[in-house]
Amino acid sequence: MNRQAPTLEDVAREAGVSRATVSRVVNGVRNVDPSIQDLVRSAIERTGYTPNRAARTLVTRRTGTVALIVSGAGDAFVGRVFADPFFGRVVNGAMGYLRARAMQPVLLFAESEPARKQVVDYVRQGSADGALVVSVRPDDPLPELLLAAHVPTVLFARPARKVPVSCVDLDHAAGGRLAGEHLLARGCRRIAAISAPLELRAGRERLAGFRDALTRAGHDTPPVAEGVFTLDSGATAMTTLLREHPDVDGVFAANDLMAQGACQVLREHGRRIPHDVAVVGFDDSSIAVTCRPPLTTVRQPVEDMAAAMARLLGEQVQGARTAEPHVLLFEPELVVRDSA
Amino acid sequence: MNRQAPTLEDVAREAGVSRATVSRVVNGVRNVDPSIQDLVRSAIERTGYTPNRAARTLVTRRTGTVALIVSGAGDAFVGRVFADPFFGRVVNGAMGYLRARAMQPVLLFAESEPARKQVVDYVRQGSADGALVVSVRPDDPLPELLLAAHVPTVLFARPARKVPVSCVDLDHAAGGRLAGEHLLARGCRRIAAISAPLELRAGRERLAGFRDALTRAGHDTPPVAEGVFTLDSGATAMTTLLREHPDVDGVFAANDLMAQGACQVLREHGRRIPHDVAVVGFDDSSIAVTCRPPLTTVRQPVEDMAAAMARLLGEQVQGARTAEPHVLLFEPELVVRDSA
DNA sequence: ATGAAAGCGCTAACAG
DNA sequence: CTGTTAGCGCTTTCAT
């Protein structure tokens, strides 16, 4: 900020009232004479007054902003985030809820050790009232750091270690089962999987559910190649799978981006989708629609989940300190398009 | 923030010194006896002290955070941002510079009218020291709002209206020329373009440069279909082009995402790339690499440009109020891969 | 219904 | 080199 901005004091002088009265008008407190309200309002207009956030925060201990932290690591982590529509849905879902309540969502990236430190400092020094975190690492220390700093926090997905913190999550096993059952119902018999990282609970559970569907139907455990949620890793996994099982006729990929990578490789190897090989993705992100062919996929209601996160956080910020952590579990749903 | 956090006062008492001394140690000011420094540091350790941002900001008039605002509008704007790696590069480039200087970058979205209002309030009330804005609308009112509020601001791309503000930009015409010349050199003779929105200066200039290359070589003005930077719009534009000019043998798309959409449509129409139709994209984002085939494209040094933005902003925040606006122009570069 | 006054936690002169 | 003292701009009792 720049040139000496007008303060409450200036407005008060201009309107011929006290600071307290101006403050009441600004904050919409009742018990102010309507005529004086007008007086003050026009004085605010004339002076171009804007409340100073720091001053207000200092006394109210509220900032009105919520940090939305995307946490992970590795090369080009930020690049990966901006290549997977999944994160856009999280941001959108959370923003919708927060905006309606006049809370400002700010997006932060904890993509490296120093970055994480800066981010933790940011919220811990009171620049945000709380944190919504979506982490793509199994061993992410961020939630515990936040908790230790007494920052109200809600997670997307249950953490690997048991931590007393609220979170929203999906019934991943049910999702994997949906995918497996659909491929079987289509008549696929030589089915493989491109899994998410198995150190991730979501990765393990999606795969477990998928396997469960197959074995329950009397099939062997399927071959699995592990990916890391990126298009590239999906392509690589599919290449491996194809080499070792050229006769594969059905593939379940643990997210849409990897499914797209798989589709690219399959086509390059002359396989028609879904005729020769059926492909099922996971997420139902915008990629599922733009992929060629459009993906049959397991829908994860990400926007709803993110909005729920924001709601949980709001309650935690306002409510009693002793609020029990909540875990909200959402149900996946199969969306059938062309790929399977 | 939560339970009564320890203050400077607490630390001072614990260490048996004055508040001022503790403040000096915390802020790394010299002129403090080493033994006392240790005393203070261990007191900080013991109490778990963290400086209160609001209090500090109130007196220093600095927040140590910079807003990175992505501005635009329309359905699913946030979704679009998270589907085009371009934005990830901007974020990455800016973050690199800021992090190294202990400034916290926070990402904000101005995706609707109310959102823009909230975002402007946020910076204007002093929650950030300045704003870096990347806008995808020709008529975006954000820059002017920010300027009117005396918020130090730097833009990605020159604004449509003439506004006295610093910005970084690309020589788009040179980029278009590069694309045109490459297609010609490959031997393409029936060349078309998928342009960016022509209300955007970047859209007009890329196209103008491209046309220039063709006409200079004695070719007619090429057919053009306009897109809006999305994969879908690229696919639609290609469909139109193919219908009206089935014999097209070269295509220039004004960004990689639209080039990818074009490739999908071309393949579905049985065209081999680059054999039947050569395709040149723009940006050199990660999509250029993951696209099938990998895209020949005009590289825009986005990370460097974003870092330069951050630098310009830094200078503006620190330096004299009267600093002249700077315009930094970057040069594009052709990157040849498989698509052309 | 309005005003006076006391801080919120911190930095920055200014003394010593 | 260290301590004292003013505020930064705002909200919020507490009187009136």
Side-chain angles (χ1 to χ4, degrees):
Chain A
M1 298 273 54
N2 188 330
R3 76 173 43 174
Q4 213 48 294
T7 72
L8 261 196
E9 188 74 51
D10 298 324
V11 178
R13 197 179 318 111
E14 179 82 15
V17 298
S18 74
R19 268 188 354 237
T21 300
V22 179
S23 174
R24 290 186 185 107
V25 173
V26 169
N27 294 295
V29 178
R30 312 173 286 289
N31 300 346
V32 179
D33 188 292
S35 69
I36 294 202
Q37 285 195 32
D38 291 347
L39 214 61
V40 171
R41 257 187 266 281
S42 83
I44 290 178
E45 192 77 19
R46 255 173 288 139
T47 52
Y49 169 75
T50 312
N52 176 314
R53 252 327 192 49
R56 183 178 272 180
T57 296
L58 188 54
V59 28
T60 61
R61 302 173 159 287
R62 280 287 179 71
T63 66
T65 100
V66 167
L68 183 43
I69 308 176
V70 181
S71 180
D75 348 326
F77 174 68
V78 173
R80 281 178 48 190
V81 169
F82 278 89
D84 191 340
F86 168 81
F87 296 97
R89 295 175 65 196
V90 176
V91 174
N92 231 350
M95 280 200 331
Y97 183 94
L98 295 171
R99 283 262 163 71
R101 283 153 191 80
M103 311 226 43
Q104 180 62 239
V106 310
L107 189 53
L108 304 174
F109 288 90
E111 83 283 9
S112 64
E113 184 55 37
R116 183 182 314 126
K117 233 175 99 44
Q118 279 189 247
V119 163
V120 170
D121 276 352
Y122 180 84
V123 287
R124 140 171 246 254
Q125 299 184 353
S127 294
D129 296 332
L132 260 22
V133 1
V134 30
S135 174
V136 300
R137 305 182 46 184
D139 58 338
D140 193 350
L142 190 61
E144 276 150 302
L145 290 174
L146 258 17
L147 250 48
H150 301 288
V151 176
T153 300
V154 177
L155 310 183
F156 193 102
R158 287 159 287 180
R161 287 180 294 281
K162 195 142 185 55
V163 185
V165 59
S166 286
C167 51
V168 303
D169 208 340
L170 187 79
D171 185 343
H172 299 286
R177 221 168 282 126
L178 246 29
E181 284 162 2
H182 181 72
L183 287 171
L184 287 172
R186 274 197 115 260
C188 298
R189 287 301 170 263
R190 292 171 303 280
I191 305 180
I194 298 176
S195 80
L198 293 179
E199 349 159 273
L200 237 43
R201 161 191 222 127
R204 289 192 302 272
E205 293 186 354
R206 286 176 198 182
L207 183 59
F210 175 69
R211 270 187 179 136
D212 183 47
L214 300 202
T215 53
R216 257 202 254 181
H219 284 256
D220 292 340
T221 17
V224 175
E226 201 174 326
V228 294
F229 287 133
T230 63
L231 189 137
D232 259 8
S233 70
T236 305
M238 191 67 243
T239 305
T240 308
L241 250 20
L242 223 39
R243 183 178 346 106
E244 294 171 4
H245 307 271
D247 61 344
V248 62
D249 64 359
V251 176
F252 165 51
N255 81 339
D256 292 339
L257 210 46
M258 293 194 293
Q260 183 181 12
C263 287
Q264 290 182 347
V265 168
L266 285 168
R267 302 174 122 206
E268 282 164 11
H269 285 254
R271 306 299 203 280
R272 287 161 302 170
I273 305 170
H275 190 272
D276 299 328
V277 183
V279 176
V280 174
F282 205 105
D283 276 354
D284 192 26
S285 65
S286 61
I287 283 181
V289 180
T290 57
C291 185
R292 298 305 161 102
L295 294 173
T296 289
T297 187
V298 177
R299 176 168 184 82
Q300 183 172 196
V302 179
E303 290 86 352
D304 295 344
M305 293 166 76
M309 285 176 82
R311 182 169 53 72
L312 286 175
L313 186 65
E315 290 166 2
Q316 195 174 330
V317 169
Q318 299 205 333
R321 294 279 129 250
T322 51
E324 289 287 300
H326 286 269
V327 176
L328 259 39
L329 211 58
F330 287 72
E331 284 304 316
E333 204 173 308
L334 189 75
V335 177
V336 180
R337 294 204 182 82
D338 302 348
S339 71
Chain B
M1 296 276 52
N2 189 332
R3 73 172 48 174
Q4 213 48 293
T7 72
L8 263 196
E9 188 74 52
D10 297 325
V11 178
R13 198 179 318 112
E14 179 81 16
V17 298
S18 75
R19 263 184 3 234
T21 301
V22 179
S23 175
R24 289 185 186 107
V25 173
V26 170
N27 294 295
V29 178
R30 314 171 286 287
N31 301 345
V32 178
D33 189 292
S35 69
I36 294 204
Q37 284 195 32
D38 291 348
L39 215 60
V40 171
R41 258 187 264 281
S42 83
I44 289 177
E45 192 77 21
R46 256 173 288 138
T47 52
Y49 169 75
T50 313
N52 176 315
R53 255 322 193 53
R56 182 179 275 180
T57 296
L58 189 54
V59 28
T60 60
R61 300 171 159 285
R62 280 287 180 70
T63 66
T65 101
V66 167
L68 183 41
I69 310 178
V70 182
S71 180
D75 347 326
F77 174 69
V78 173
R80 281 177 47 191
V81 170
F82 278 90
D84 191 339
F86 168 82
F87 295 97
R89 294 175 65 195
V90 176
V91 174
N92 230 349
M95 280 198 332
Y97 184 94
L98 295 171
R99 284 263 163 70
R101 284 152 189 81
M103 311 228 40
Q104 181 61 238
V106 310
L107 189 52
L108 304 175
F109 288 91
E111 83 283 8
S112 64
E113 185 54 39
R116 184 183 313 124
K117 231 176 101 43
Q118 278 189 251
V119 164
V120 170
D121 276 353
Y122 181 84
V123 286
R124 147 169 240 252
Q125 300 184 351
S127 295
D129 296 332
L132 259 22
V133 359
V134 30
S135 173
V136 300
R137 304 183 47 185
D139 58 339
D140 194 348
L142 190 62
E144 277 151 300
L145 290 174
L146 258 17
L147 250 48
H150 301 286
V151 176
T153 301
V154 177
L155 309 183
F156 192 102
R158 288 159 286 180
R161 287 180 293 280
K162 194 140 185 58
V163 185
V165 58
S166 287
C167 50
V168 303
D169 208 340
L170 187 79
D171 185 344
H172 298 287
R177 220 169 282 126
L178 247 28
E181 285 162 2
H182 181 73
L183 287 171
L184 287 171
R186 275 197 116 258
C188 298
R189 287 303 172 259
R190 294 172 300 282
I191 305 180
I194 298 176
S195 80
L198 293 178
E199 350 160 272
L200 237 44
R201 159 190 225 127
R204 289 192 302 272
E205 293 186 353
R206 285 176 200 181
L207 183 59
F210 175 69
R211 271 187 179 137
D212 183 48
L214 300 202
T215 53
R216 256 202 253 183
H219 284 255
D220 293 339
T221 19
V224 175
E226 200 174 327
V228 294
F229 287 134
T230 62
L231 188 137
D232 259 9
S233 71
T236 306
M238 192 65 244
T239 305
T240 308
L241 250 21
L242 222 39
R243 184 176 346 103
E244 295 171 3
H245 307 272
D247 61 344
V248 62
D249 66 357
V251 176
F252 165 50
N255 80 340
D256 292 338
L257 210 46
M258 294 195 294
Q260 183 181 13
C263 287
Q264 289 182 349
V265 168
L266 285 168
R267 304 173 120 205
E268 281 164 12
H269 285 254
R271 307 297 202 282
R272 287 161 304 170
I273 304 170
H275 191 272
D276 300 326
V277 183
V279 176
V280 174
F282 205 104
D283 277 352
D284 192 26
S285 65
S286 60
I287 283 181
V289 181
T290 56
C291 185
R292 299 305 162 102
L295 294 173
T296 289
T297 188
V298 177
R299 177 170 182 81
Q300 183 171 196
V302 179
E303 290 85 353
D304 295 344
M305 294 167 75
M309 286 175 82
R311 184 169 52 72
L312 285 175
L313 186 66
E315 289 166 3
Q316 195 174 331
V317 168
Q318 298 204 332
R321 294 281 130 249
T322 53
E324 289 288 300
H326 286 270
V327 176
L328 259 40
L329 211 58
F330 287 72
E331 285 304 316
E333 203 173 306
L334 188 75
V335 178
V336 179
R337 295 205 180 81
D338 302 347
S339 71

